[in-house]
Amino acid sequence: MLKSSLFYTKVSLKSIYFIIAMAVTFLDIFTRLIDTLDISIFLYTKYFLIPFIFFHIYLLITSSSMMYQEFKVLSFLEKEKGRKMIAVVLANIFVTIGFGLLSVLIMLIFKNSLFSFSTVVRGIGHFLIILLTGSVLAISIGISTAAFIKNERSIVVSLAIYGLLIAVTFGDLSDNLITNYLRAFLPDDTFIVFNEIAGVLLTKEYFADKLVVLCMSVFILSMTYLLITTTKRKRYFIVPTLALSAFSFLTIYGFSHQYDFYHAMDVDKITFEEYEIEDYNMKLDLRHKLENKAQIKIAIYENSDTLSFLLDSNFKVEHVLVDNQAAAHTFGNNLLVIHDDFTKGSTVNVEILYRGKVDIKKDIGSDLFYVSPHAINLVGGDFFWYPSPTIADSIKFNLNVTANTNLYSNLPILDGHLQGSARYVSIFGGIYNEHTDGDIRYIYPFTMSVQNIKHVISTAIDEQSAADANFETLKNKQYRQVIVGARPIHKDLLSVEGSTLYFRLD
Amino acid sequence: MQNQLRVQNLCYQIGKREILKNFSFNCTNGIIALLGNNGVGKSTLMNILAGILYPHSGEVYLNEESLLSHRSYPIEKAGYLPQMFDMYHNVTGYDFLSYVYDVKKLPPQDKKQHLQQIVEDFSLQEVIRKKIGKYSGGYKRRLGIAQAVIGHPDLILVDEPTVGLDPEQRIAFRELLSRISLHSITIISTHIIEDVELYSDKLMIIGNDHTLQFDGTVNELIDLAKPHLLMAVIDKRELNEVRNKVHIIEEKRMADHLIQIKYISRNKTATVLDNSCQVREVSLENAYIYFQHAQNL
């Protein structure tokens, strides 16, 4: 099989379409893509769209033409049609791997040396995953159409099918079951707007998405293999069975593979009990998911049998203790309500243990709030990642944070220990660049420059477009650090929290 | 080494249509020509021997090794040149020969030397590194037979070897075949009698009823036909009339409106023309036409 695959690799490589695909790729790399490697390793993959498409077209044409051309002498040498099909698939995968390694070499040579090792590894992994999934799909389309049409028209048909997938992916077609299924065929990361601070988070959903594309390709190839190698009688059984399993798989995938999208909460309409947080301690684990033991000292200002906090419903509350005694609680609609007797004038110690995955998206592929080993974006006030009161007065926070990534916050940080007073706590981490200009520290993604940030701030001051509350702070430069972070689109571009200026990443 | 091919009771059918019926024969080294009208099953037999098609019943053994299994077909012991030999146009001749060598799982250490020898034997040096798409018909055919003899197989199957070749190429090709057949069983399926006449050691004719009708040498077929072939000289103007009476197998123009004809005496009416005599020199073509005609009686 390996010998056959190597022969078909030669056939594939000596095609004029390979030369065209290579020419387009290198032209695009050296005229455009190489610059993106200085900004973001993920941006390279995103802008690699044209080479991807040309490479896919090359794979469609060669795999289709290799398959439909049936030479008697090869039938004699290879004996089984299925053997040829597998050899053609492997040959084109070999070419894809070679193409991928060449591109990776370029990435490694021209990448910004400031990128961390883990970011580079993730960037390369992402590139190879996108390349491989798309290529295997193109190969399976090319081979399957050729196996059934058996002449040069199969090339036209396979290109038309690919064109349809491109149209569905890029076109403004309405969402329905069919278009959603079709969209799942193409790796969509090449055209979505992604968060360059987080890069591409290699989450379960990410792998599930790619796995679906691979599964579909394998399904198409298996079905083709069975149809060309089995007898008619077996086909009557195999085809419906395979079709049914594919449909079931896609349906299960469609129902289970749901992204969490951000929905703004109307906090003002929620009436809370009167209390004040005197002290807020957290023991936070932010390595893969968020796990927090929040210990809150609360002064009660009115008699009540409930105490309410805002907490995002994505989390699972493990226990609630009031003065070290288990307390009843209800949790839903982003509201955690503790049921106990709370007496006016008393002080209670509340402990809340909760955990959960944080992967909330602005749009498909565009991460908004997240916790991962590589990046963190938890913006207090925008996202209730810790039990919060509605009226946000200044609270004294004391946080011990365990994380795999570098951390930034509006609170002062020392060795994972965050301490200070603020209305809300925000924690950031990811592919950040740092720069100190005078007494102001800028924390920003590689895709931006400090000049660019300063320009936006000065424009806001000139046009008085910043919110009133922030305007004076901006004008008098009363902030000590600027952090660029992902925030919901309806939030101000610039907003101040203590001595920190948040700059919304668009 | 003397090779032996044994075919026993081979039957093949497509739907209810029988293509080969109870086909049996044995043969050893040399050129075996397979003759028959179009559609009688020559290519089917070649495909079965090449392991491309499975018969519905019967056995085929090459030196007592079965050829009827995809998995155990001794590919290294067989070579096959199909009628319309072609290959991917973007690979070189050497790429292809190298692939055939690899697929036959021949010793890797001998590869370079063996392929070099084959390239020289078939005078392919000039084109072997060029893409196959640039080959002339003659070179392509030579490449085809070159790949078939890789590994010095015991059985070589050649389907319509000289179709599309010019006369000079045909002669060269026949010489090649006779050379390689010294150490192997070379079965040639053809309808060009000229290919067979000089070089075949054995002849097999598949009849229109899809059975093996003749299995012998060229001389045996000629001897079989000779008593039934007559020769006469007639006036050109009588030709149409004569055609209605006898089955003419050869016409030769002579002087003064005269034509010498060869015809079959053994036909439905058994007519014998005046001044006829026995044909002294019977060609294979004459004998073959007689044989085919006799079958229809």
Side-chain angles (χ1 to χ4, degrees):
Chain A
M1 184 55 75
L2 183 69
K3 301 281 183 190
S4 300
S5 304
L6 291 176
F7 172 69
Y8 285 107
T9 305
K10 278 185 192 170
V11 179
S12 184
L13 287 176
K14 290 184 178 181
S15 143
I16 181 74
Y17 303 105
F18 180 72
I19 297 165
I20 293 170
M22 284 295 106
V24 170
T25 301
F26 282 101
L27 189 72
D28 204 26
I29 284 175
F30 289 107
T31 55
R32 196 171 64 99
L33 292 171
I34 216 158
D35 295 335
T36 63
L37 284 169
D38 197 42
I39 301 165
S40 163
I41 204 135
F42 297 102
L43 211 59
Y44 178 79
T45 307
K46 178 178 159 62
Y47 287 151
F48 209 81
L49 181 64
I50 294 168
F52 273 146
I53 289 177
F54 270 81
F55 190 69
H56 290 167
I57 290 172
Y58 145 73
L59 288 175
L60 284 164
I61 295 173
T62 47
S63 53
S64 183
S65 68
M66 275 196 273
M67 198 64 197
Y68 83 72
Q69 292 185 73
E70 285 187 2
F71 300 111
K72 260 276 178 64
V73 71
L74 290 182
S75 302
F76 164 71
L77 292 167
E78 293 159 352
K79 295 286 180 272
E80 292 172 57
K81 270 187 186 175
R83 184 189 159 105
K84 177 183 176 180
M85 189 186 131
I86 296 169
V88 172
V89 172
L90 289 176
N92 284 305
I93 289 176
F94 291 161
V95 176
T96 304
I97 291 170
F99 178 76
L101 292 177
L102 196 67
S103 309
V104 166
L105 190 69
I106 290 167
M107 288 167 93
L108 289 172
I109 294 170
F110 296 103
K111 70 171 176 56
N112 188 327
S113 57
L114 293 172
F115 295 155
S116 70
F117 177 73
S118 73
T119 304
V120 173
V121 170
R122 261 194 310 146
I124 289 171
H126 172 62
F127 176 85
L128 291 177
I129 288 169
I130 296 291
L131 174 68
L132 202 66
T133 45
S135 297
V136 172
L137 180 72
I139 295 165
S140 60
I141 293 172
I143 283 178
S144 307
T145 49
F148 298 111
I149 297 176
K150 292 178 184 171
N151 57 42
E152 62 271 26
R153 279 195 289 271
S154 63
I155 294 177
V156 180
V157 174
S158 61
L159 287 173
I161 293 170
Y162 184 76
L164 175 73
L165 293 177
I166 293 278
V168 168
T169 309
F170 290 90
D172 193 21
L173 297 178
S174 62
D175 281 356
N176 58 46
L177 197 63
I178 294 167
T179 54
N180 282 340
Y181 277 3
L182 287 172
R183 275 191 192 114
F185 276 84
L186 267 191
D188 46 16
D189 305 62
T190 48
F191 68 94
I192 51 177
V193 180
F194 73 100
N195 175 339
E196 57 259 41
I197 299 170
V200 173
L201 298 175
L202 304 179
T203 57
K204 215 160 59 184
E205 285 75 17
Y206 172 90
F207 286 112
D209 193 38
K210 308 302 170 254
L211 197 64
V212 164
V213 180
L214 273 183
C215 285
M216 284 313 297
S217 307
V218 171
F219 169 74
I220 294 168
L221 287 172
S222 317
M223 201 150 121
T224 309
Y225 181 86
L226 288 168
L227 285 170
I228 63 172
T229 56
T230 51
T231 58
K232 254 184 191 172
R233 198 180 295 167
K234 282 184 189 165
R235 280 180 213 169
Y236 289 130
F237 171 73
I238 289 164
V239 175
T241 309
L242 282 172
L244 195 66
S245 23
F247 181 77
S248 314
F249 172 73
L250 282 174
T251 309
I252 293 164
Y253 172 79
F255 283 114
S256 63
H257 187 66
Q258 303 272 347
Y259 291 115
D260 293 325
F261 291 104
Y262 175 77
H263 298 289
M265 262 182 73
D266 202 352
V267 177
D268 296 341
K269 289 183 181 167
I270 304 170
T271 312
F272 269 30
E273 307 82 8
E274 285 191 23
Y275 63 82
E276 187 186 334
I277 294 176
E278 293 183 345
D279 213 3
Y280 205 132
N281 295 301
M282 293 188 214
K283 196 177 171 198
L284 259 179
D285 187 337
L286 299 177
R287 283 174 294 187
H288 293 278
K289 55 185 179 181
L290 186 149
E291 186 174 325
N292 189 15
K293 189 194 271 184
Q295 291 172 318
I296 317 162
K297 191 176 174 189
I298 303 168
I300 308 292
Y301 289 160
E302 65 173 1
N303 288 333
S304 172
D305 51 5
T306 57
L307 203 59
S308 306
F309 296 94
L310 291 164
L311 181 67
D312 196 276
S313 296
N314 277 308
F315 296 111
K316 189 183 173 210
V317 175
E318 298 294 330
H319 74 232
V320 175
L321 305 178
V322 176
D323 291 332
N324 291 322
Q325 297 294 312
H329 63 273
T330 50
F331 183 40
N333 294 324
N334 304 313
L335 202 62
L336 172 66
V337 180
I338 302 169
H339 301 273
D340 210 327
D341 291 326
F342 299 102
T343 319
K344 183 180 174 181
S346 65
T347 302
V348 290
N349 288 300
V350 173
E351 181 180 297
I352 303 162
L353 177 69
Y354 64 97
R355 58 172 67 96
K357 183 188 80 171
V358 183
D359 184 14
I360 294 169
K361 296 184 185 301
K362 205 188 288 187
D363 208 337
I364 292 175
S366 181
D367 299 293
L368 181 58
F369 303 119
Y370 42 86
V371 170
S372 83
H374 315 288
I376 296 166
N377 196 72
L378 297 170
V379 185
D382 292 356
F383 169 58
F384 296 100
W385 62 270
Y386 60 90
S388 313
T390 37
I391 302 157
D393 292 325
S394 186
I395 299 170
K396 209 170 94 191
F397 286 104
N398 191 349
L399 283 77
N400 270 310
V401 185
T402 309
N404 287 339
T405 179
N406 48 345
L407 293 176
Y408 304 98
S409 173
N410 56 321
L411 297 181
I413 305 179
L414 186 67
D415 295 333
H417 191 82
L418 284 70
Q419 199 169 32
S421 293
R423 288 185 310 147
Y424 294 108
V425 192
S426 298
I427 300 176
F428 305 90
I431 313 163
Y432 275 110
N433 206 356
E434 283 184 57
H435 175 79
T436 305
D437 186 8
D439 55 356
I440 299 174
R441 185 179 172 221
Y442 294 86
I443 298 145
Y444 58 100
F446 282 86
T447 42
M448 294 173 86
S449 67
V450 173
Q451 282 68 32
N452 176 239
I453 295 168
K454 284 180 179 171
H455 176 73
V456 172
I457 296 170
S458 66
T459 308
I461 295 166
D462 293 344
E463 293 174 358
Q464 299 196 337
S465 58
D468 293 343
N470 300 323
F471 187 71
E472 286 303 314
T473 313
L474 287 178
K475 197 176 168 186
N476 301 324
K477 282 199 171 179
Q478 288 169 335
Y479 51 90
R480 288 295 156 262
Q481 66 174 353
V482 179
I483 304 179
V484 179
R487 299 190 70 187
I489 197 76
H490 67 274
K491 294 286 176 183
D492 291 334
L493 181 66
L494 302 168
S495 61
V496 179
E497 177 65 51
S499 62
T500 300
L501 173 65
Y502 293 139
F503 191 110
R504 193 190 70 215
L505 177 77
D506 284 325
Chain B
M1 180 192 157
Q2 190 70 349
N3 298 296
Q4 196 184 29
L5 180 72
R6 192 155 54 88
V7 175
Q8 288 176 336
N9 304 320
L10 217 56
C11 291
Y12 186 83
Q13 56 190 65
I14 299 173
K16 285 181 180 171
R17 204 174 127 231
E18 286 185 304
I19 308 296
L20 287 177
K21 268 198 276 188
N22 264 344
F23 217 87
S24 300
F25 67 90
N26 291 320
C27 55
T28 55
N29 288 5
I31 295 182
I32 295 102
L34 192 60
L35 288 171
N37 290 338
N38 285 337
V40 293
K42 294 193 299 288
S43 290
T44 302
L45 178 63
M46 295 296 265
N47 284 336
I48 290 172
L49 297 178
I52 296 169
L53 290 178
Y54 278 126
H56 289 88
S57 61
E59 295 292 340
V60 181
Y61 294 101
L62 173 66
N63 299 329
E64 300 311 315
E65 203 172 345
S66 174
L67 296 186
L68 298 184
S69 163
H70 272 183
R71 298 214 177 273
S72 60
Y73 187 95
I75 191 86
E76 71 287 353
K77 291 179 184 167
Y80 175 53
L81 173 63
Q83 185 179 347
M84 303 296 286
F85 171 75
D86 207 350
M87 188 34 57
Y88 294 110
H89 286 188
N90 50 346
V91 289
T92 66
Y94 193 84
D95 288 337
F96 175 57
L97 293 185
S98 168
Y99 177 52
V100 176
Y101 190 94
D102 291 339
V103 170
K104 289 190 170 188
K105 293 182 179 151
L106 298 167
Q109 65 273 17
D110 301 336
K111 184 176 175 180
K112 200 176 170 187
Q113 199 184 351
H114 185 68
L115 292 186
Q116 200 174 338
Q117 188 60 51
I118 287 211
V119 168
E120 280 172 25
D121 287 351
F122 292 90
S123 305
L124 286 163
Q125 297 95 320
E126 209 179 296
V127 294
I128 198 67
R129 299 282 172 187
K130 287 184 182 169
K131 288 185 176 177
I132 294 172
K134 290 181 179 168
Y135 281 27
S136 66
Y139 273 126
K140 208 178 264 184
R141 211 66 195 153
R142 261 193 252 176
L143 181 73
I145 193 72
Q147 63 80 28
V149 301
I150 283 177
H152 306 301
D154 300 334
L155 173 67
I156 297 171
L157 305 162
V158 188
D159 205 350
E160 302 288 358
T162 56
V163 168
L165 296 183
D166 59 38
E168 207 175 309
Q169 287 171 333
R170 275 187 182 192
I171 292 165
F173 197 79
R174 282 185 210 132
E175 280 170 4
L176 278 176
L177 283 179
S178 59
R179 199 164 8 121
I180 59 175
S181 67
L182 292 174
H183 307 289
S184 63
I185 301 165
T186 306
I187 300 181
I188 300 170
S189 159
T190 186
H191 63 268
I192 300 172
I193 305 297
E194 203 187 335
D195 285 347
V196 185
E197 194 156 20
L198 289 172
Y199 299 95
S200 296
D201 301 299
K202 191 178 168 168
L203 194 61
M204 290 192 293
I205 300 172
I206 306 179
N208 293 337
D209 60 352
H210 308 284
T211 59
L212 183 62
Q213 290 289 332
F214 181 83
D215 183 4
T217 63
V218 171
N219 287 336
E220 280 170 356
L221 183 69
I222 289 171
D223 290 345
L224 190 74
K226 210 167 189 175
H228 307 285
L229 299 181
L230 295 175
M231 192 169 75
V233 175
I234 59 165
D235 192 294
K236 192 179 172 184
R237 285 162 294 190
E238 295 169 359
L239 189 59
N240 283 340
E241 196 187 329
V242 170
R243 271 203 187 111
N244 291 331
K245 291 179 185 169
V246 295
H247 186 94
I248 297 172
I249 59 167
E250 193 181 299
E251 294 170 19
K252 195 174 171 187
R253 189 183 286 261
M254 297 175 76
D256 301 329
H257 307 290
L258 294 177
I259 290 181
Q260 185 194 69
I261 59 163
K262 286 181 186 173
Y263 69 95
I264 299 168
S265 65
R266 186 178 158 245
N267 62 11
K268 278 175 189 168
T269 53
T271 310
V272 175
L273 300 173
D274 295 339
N275 303 320
S276 291
C277 67
Q278 203 75 37
V279 176
R280 265 169 292 170
E281 283 190 19
V282 178
S283 67
L284 177 62
E285 193 172 358
N286 296 156
Y288 178 67
I289 295 171
Y290 159 73
F291 190 83
Q292 292 288 31
H293 179 79
Q295 272 192 81
N296 296 330
L297 288 178

